[in-house]
Amino acid sequence: MADITLKKVEVVIVGFGWTGAIMAKELTEAGMEVLALERGEYRDTYPDGAYPKTLDELTYIQRSKLFQDMSKSSFTFRHAASGVAVPYRQIGAFKPGTGVGGAGLHWSGQHWRVLPEELQLKTHYEKRYGKKFIPEGMTIQDFGVSYEELEPHFDFVEKVFGTSGVAYRVKGEVVGAGNFFEPSRSDHYALPPQKVPYTAHLFHKAAAEVGLHPFVAPSSNASGPYTNPYGCQMGPCNFCGYCSGFACYNYSKASPQVNIMPALRQVSNFELRPNCNVLRINLDGSGKKATGVTYVNAEGKTVEQPADLVIASTFAYNNAHLFLVSGVGKPYDPVSGEGVVGRNIAYQTMSTVQMFFDPDKNTNPFIGSGGNGVAVDDYNGDNFDHGPVGFVGGSPAWCNPAGVKPIAGIPVPNGTPAWGAGWKKAVKDNYANTVSFDVHGANMVYRDCYVDLDPTYTDQFGQKLLRFTFDWKDNDIKMSRYVTDKMLAVAKAMNPKSIHVSVKNFGDHLDLRNYQTTHWAGGTAMGTDPKTSVLNRYLQSWDVHNVFAVGSSVFPVGIGYNPTGLAAALTYWSARAIREQYLKDPRPLVAA
């Protein structure tokens, strides 16, 4: 029994990051009474991003100020179902956010769309390469929505985020030096592209010399002053280098706090409650309709919040946890292959190429912006012939000078002593004389990579932790090594004195100790078949029609790009379906 039962609201949103904020804005515009519940504390640009305190790597990165407190709630991991899962006890390989804004407050600002074939991955590969080309045990499937359907939403997201970039083709006509492989856009970016730092300039020059198609990457770090469609204002980025892991003090990096919350504050039909940890979605006796949620408030009281409509907008895999503890959808069983909640978990591969130059190069690595840089898409998606190489997926590659930090960002060449005078000399000689770029690849989905509820470990509220069963597969390692090897031509064209490559080897396990990327996806996959997806094409639960889920958890496959742009566009797609279809006649929007 709950300690407190409150008056019913029309909509309750669980989690208030990018997708929760977008959904709140859309549904308040529809005239609905919207309540957002965020488990973490209230955060805003001031005081959480106040200058100069925010420029503190020790506090924000090493001591994880904006990240989830693993002592209160964590996850467990194992590499295979035969292994023993253990808790993720400190921030390492990825950095889940907490508090208002979520990871949307501490993200870098890299803003990508998606390649059209990645939305229809299974259909595309079977049509071009045949069904036998897809490895046994790989469970790729289509999203159930096309790029053409999402394009207007991609465009609007870029207008809301104040995205800086340069288009290649608009309305079918070549208009600029953008991404040669990008499909035609309906409009230009909201702002002109960011300035290109010296290291990215070197990468652009070298990539062009070896026959690739470099372009200035899209960035949600504003290249100039901007007012978005909601009337929210942004200031131009000053390349301070403190984006990823930090709240932007300059109102230059897009975040829910900068780009949506000022508009939500103006309306009376929206309420945000921080420090409210939702335990479960409540269902009626039939199990087919949600009646609201139960949460624990800041005083430790259990609160029942009735609602007509529930939106799950938690970070990545947490939507799967919420569905599992609530009984929304059938849990996935990897042995039988039946069930859907927890299925198709994906991460991302990452390899890094570092080049070391003579001491007079002076690359000024402290200058940076989270999303700026130069990228190539020649080996992303299906932009190259996969037939001879024998793997599914690809990788964009980019030189992203985001600002090398004084504690974690000290690259030294191979053979450098771990400490002492030799190490100090290497740091001094190389800090300002290096260039690096990343090969940031798609991780496919597999029958034996999934999440479920851990039978042993619980959180501070006594709920079972989410358990990951996940490891790298040969397909993804083969892809990453292939693309990295191709990109070495770019590194060599820069003519450095030495090159260091960090790339996974066959047989390597996922290592949770060192940061890689925060880009998890899946667990509540969308699709067209209720036997393989949790949600229909409008992100509505197949089983409980007044429950929707948004965020990267809805991706049924991994993609090469960062997920924020696609997650945001899908949220607008879902919100339009709610506004134009569901509210007029609450029902399943797709027949099961």
Side-chain angles (χ1 to χ4, degrees):
M1 292 291 292
D3 298 316
I4 304 169
T5 299
L6 300 175
K7 180 183 177 182
K8 185 166 71 172
V9 296
E10 290 181 295
V11 183
V12 64
I13 296 175
V14 183
F16 196 74
W18 269 124
T19 58
I22 289 169
M23 194 61 85
K25 185 68 175 72
E26 285 290 301
L27 297 184
T28 55
E29 283 186 359
M32 302 193 77
E33 180 189 11
V34 177
L35 168 65
L37 300 173
E38 166 57 43
R39 69 179 176 183
E41 63 187 89
Y42 185 83
R43 300 189 191 280
D44 208 342
T45 302
Y46 182 85
D48 300 283
Y51 182 85
K53 291 183 178 180
T54 192
L55 306 185
D56 181 350
E57 182 190 0
L58 183 63
T59 296
Y60 282 82
I61 303 299
Q62 311 305 323
R63 294 175 179 166
S64 307
K65 181 173 181 179
L66 300 182
F67 309 143
Q68 186 173 334
D69 185 347
M70 294 299 158
S71 69
K72 295 181 178 179
S73 181
S74 186
F75 335 93
T76 65
F77 281 84
R78 59 184 182 176
H79 291 129
S82 58
V84 177
V86 295
Y88 183 64
R89 295 192 181 277
Q90 62 185 32
I91 296 294
F94 56 99
K95 301 172 179 178
T98 193
V100 171
L105 181 62
H106 74 70
W107 76 312
S108 67
Q110 288 208 16
H111 188 160
W112 302 91
R113 294 190 172 191
V114 69
L115 297 178
E117 67 267 23
E118 291 181 299
L119 292 173
Q120 300 172 319
L121 200 62
K122 184 178 181 180
T123 298
H124 176 87
Y125 269 87
E126 288 183 350
K127 183 177 180 180
R128 182 172 181 183
Y129 301 107
K131 292 183 178 181
K132 293 183 178 180
F133 188 83
I134 299 172
E136 183 178 356
M138 184 182 289
T139 55
I140 59 174
Q141 62 193 58
D142 297 351
F143 276 69
V145 61
S146 69
Y147 184 90
E148 289 73 23
E149 288 174 305
L150 288 182
E151 201 287 329
H153 303 294
F154 283 125
D155 179 71
F156 189 67
V157 171
E158 290 162 1
K159 302 295 194 292
V160 172
F161 284 36
T163 306
S164 305
V166 56
Y168 178 75
R169 187 182 293 108
V170 173
K171 297 178 181 177
E173 294 186 8
V174 175
V175 296
N179 183 2
F180 172 81
F181 297 98
E182 185 182 54
S184 183
R185 304 163 53 87
S186 58
D187 199 2
H188 293 269
Y189 285 95
L191 287 167
Q194 280 273 25
K195 295 178 180 178
V196 178
Y198 182 48
T199 53
H201 165 75
L202 295 174
F203 178 82
H204 191 292
K205 182 174 182 292
E209 286 176 358
V210 301
L212 302 181
H213 299 81
F215 60 95
V216 179
S219 167
S220 283
N221 315 100
S223 62
Y226 180 71
T227 301
N228 79 0
Y230 299 147
C232 303
Q233 297 179 323
M234 302 178 73
C237 175
N238 64 4
F239 287 78
C240 74
Y242 286 80
C243 290
S244 184
F246 303 86
C248 176
Y249 67 88
N250 208 42
Y251 297 83
S252 304
K253 181 180 72 174
S255 69
Q257 280 81 352
V258 171
N259 299 72
I260 299 178
M261 281 174 57
L264 283 173
R265 291 193 192 102
Q266 308 303 314
V267 299
S268 60
N269 54 332
F270 173 72
E271 181 185 355
L272 170 61
R273 295 180 197 158
N275 299 305
C276 294
N277 197 307
V278 175
L279 300 179
R280 61 186 172 273
I281 298 170
N282 301 323
L283 305 178
D284 68 6
S286 71
K288 297 296 184 182
K289 184 177 181 181
T291 60
V293 301
T294 295
Y295 68 89
V296 176
N297 66 16
E299 290 74 41
K301 299 290 186 179
T302 303
V303 181
E304 183 177 339
Q305 177 61 69
D308 294 323
L309 184 62
V310 177
I311 310 292
S313 62
T314 68
F315 177 74
Y317 41 77
N318 286 331
N319 276 349
H321 184 258
L322 182 60
F323 276 41
L324 287 167
V325 297
S326 305
V328 178
K330 184 178 180 180
Y332 174 63
D333 178 1
V335 177
S336 67
E338 297 179 352
V340 288
V341 183
R343 184 178 184 269
N344 280 23
I345 284 291
Y347 195 26
Q348 283 182 318
T349 64
M350 178 75 83
S351 65
T352 299
V353 179
Q354 291 180 319
M355 292 134 285
F356 296 89
F357 296 86
D358 291 327
D360 60 351
K361 190 68 172 177
N362 194 14
T363 56
N364 290 326
F366 56 90
I367 298 173
S369 177
N372 86 136
V374 171
V376 295
D377 252 3
D378 296 70
Y379 301 107
N380 192 17
D382 197 29
N383 292 336
F384 59 105
D385 186 359
H386 282 71
V389 297
F391 56 75
V392 176
S395 291
W398 51 60
C399 181
N400 167 222
V404 178
K405 308 300 184 294
I407 299 175
I410 304 178
V412 291
N414 289 343
T416 299
W419 196 247
W423 178 84
K424 292 178 181 179
K425 184 177 187 304
V427 170
K428 180 180 178 181
D429 290 345
N430 291 285
Y431 176 80
N433 302 290
T434 62
V435 177
S436 69
F437 63 82
D438 295 320
V439 176
H440 184 278
N443 166 229
M444 294 297 107
V445 288
Y446 302 89
R447 179 168 177 155
D448 58 354
C449 290
Y450 61 98
V451 292
D452 62 359
L453 295 178
D454 192 283
T456 304
Y457 295 96
T458 58
D459 64 14
Q460 61 177 330
F461 304 110
Q463 290 194 305
K464 293 180 178 180
L465 296 186
L466 191 68
R467 177 174 65 179
F468 283 76
T469 302
F470 179 88
D471 209 356
W472 302 122
K473 302 291 186 179
D474 285 353
N475 176 90
D476 306 309
I477 293 176
K478 186 176 183 180
M479 178 277 297
S480 182
R481 294 186 66 86
Y482 173 85
V483 178
T484 303
D485 184 63
K486 290 290 186 181
M487 291 302 299
L488 283 177
V490 178
K492 293 174 183 176
M494 294 188 208
N495 196 31
K497 66 178 182 180
S498 66
I499 299 173
H500 174 68
V501 181
S502 173
V503 64
K504 293 172 182 63
N505 296 307
F506 292 102
D508 282 355
H509 294 299
L510 171 65
D511 187 342
L512 294 174
R513 294 171 296 177
N514 299 313
Y515 182 71
Q516 178 175 295
T517 168
T518 304
H519 307 147
W520 285 96
T524 58
M526 65 185 293
T528 57
D529 185 351
K531 293 181 180 179
T532 59
S533 57
V534 180
L535 313 170
N536 63 29
R537 70 193 302 262
Y538 299 111
L539 312 190
Q540 179 188 39
S541 167
W542 288 107
D543 297 272
V544 184
H545 70 76
N546 63 335
V547 172
F548 290 73
V550 290
S552 64
S553 73
V554 312
F555 298 4
V557 297
I559 64 173
Y561 291 140
N562 301 35
T564 305
L566 175 56
L570 284 169
T571 304
Y572 279 109
W573 160 260
S574 177
R576 187 176 71 176
I578 294 172
R579 293 178 64 170
E580 296 181 359
Q581 299 181 58
Y582 187 80
L583 296 183
K584 295 176 181 178
D585 182 13
R587 71 197 190 285
L589 298 179
V590 179

